[in-house]
Amino acid sequence: MKIDTYTKVLLTGIFLFLGVIAFDLKPDIEAQAGIMGGNEMIAVDSENTVFHMKDGKVRRCIYFVRGERTKCTAWNN
């Protein structure tokens, strides 16, 4: 079965159009990190120690698995 020139041109045009759409799309919104408003972060240091950073201040928290309370230091600059 032969494919005529019209079909070749039509398929080439469709593929080019789809290629332009696929590679020319730009995001409409800017990506924003974090769920906590962007000014807060939690970083893991070891198995049960984390650093909580908020508004330029840092505190170290140690959490326990066996029902003990989490203990955090005061906020430092």
Side-chain angles (χ1 to χ4, degrees), residues 15-29:
F15 288 132
L16 287 174
F17 179 72
L18 291 175
V20 167
I21 290 174
F23 294 108
D24 194 36
L25 289 179
K26 294 177 178 70
D28 292 338
I29 58 173

Side-chain angles (χ1 to χ4, degrees), residues 9-71:
V9 170
L10 186 66
L11 289 175
T12 303
I14 291 171
F15 288 132
L16 287 174
F17 179 72
L18 291 175
V20 167
I21 290 174
F23 294 108
D24 194 36
L25 289 179
K26 294 177 178 70
D28 292 338
I29 58 173
E30 240 180 78
Q32 296 180 357
I35 4 178
M36 299 179 221
N39 60 351
E40 197 168 344
M41 184 173 113
I42 296 175
V44 178
D45 180 36
S46 66
E47 190 173 304
N48 57 349
T49 303
V50 296
F51 287 96
H52 182 194
M53 294 166 251
K54 181 177 180 181
D55 296 328
K57 297 180 180 180
V58 180
R59 71 178 175 173
R60 181 174 168 224
C61 297
I62 300 172
Y63 60 94
F64 303 95
V65 182
R66 294 185 177 79
E68 291 185 45
R69 256 184 108 116
T70 300
K71 296 177 183 172

